[in-house]
Amino acid sequence: QPPQAREIVETDANDAPRSAQSIDASPTATTINARLERNGDVDVFALRASAGQTLVADVDAQSPLGSPVDMVV
């Protein structure tokens, strides 16, 4: 049986690289729920991974939600 996916909710104090919300690398699927509260709001996350580890990032904002979010990795 595959490991159960986990879900993380953003903290409000993650608006700049120096205050990025730390996310530990995990072999299981992880969903991060975040919300942009105002025009110009930024949510920053930091992930530490090992050499050779694969990271897949998928943002569900513009489709299907219709949000004009721009993701930067």
Side-chain angles (χ1 to χ4, degrees):
Q1 183 174 359
Q4 185 170 347
R6 66 184 181 150
E7 186 170 352
I8 296 171
V9 177
E10 71 148 323
T11 60
D12 287 332
N14 65 336
D15 292 339
R18 69 182 177 283
S19 59
Q21 183 174 344
S22 180
I23 307 294
D24 65 313
S26 170
T28 62
T30 302
T31 298
I32 301 171
N33 285 314
R35 176 176 290 187
L36 299 176
E37 302 280 332
R38 65 198 176 295
N39 190 19
D41 189 10
V42 175
D43 290 331
V44 181
F45 301 92
L47 174 72
R48 183 180 305 257
S50 302
Q53 188 172 0
T54 300
L55 170 68
V56 177
D58 180 26
V59 176
D60 292 331
Q62 191 165 23
S63 177
L65 303 176
S67 171
V69 167
D70 290 324
M71 181 179 96
V72 177
V73 177

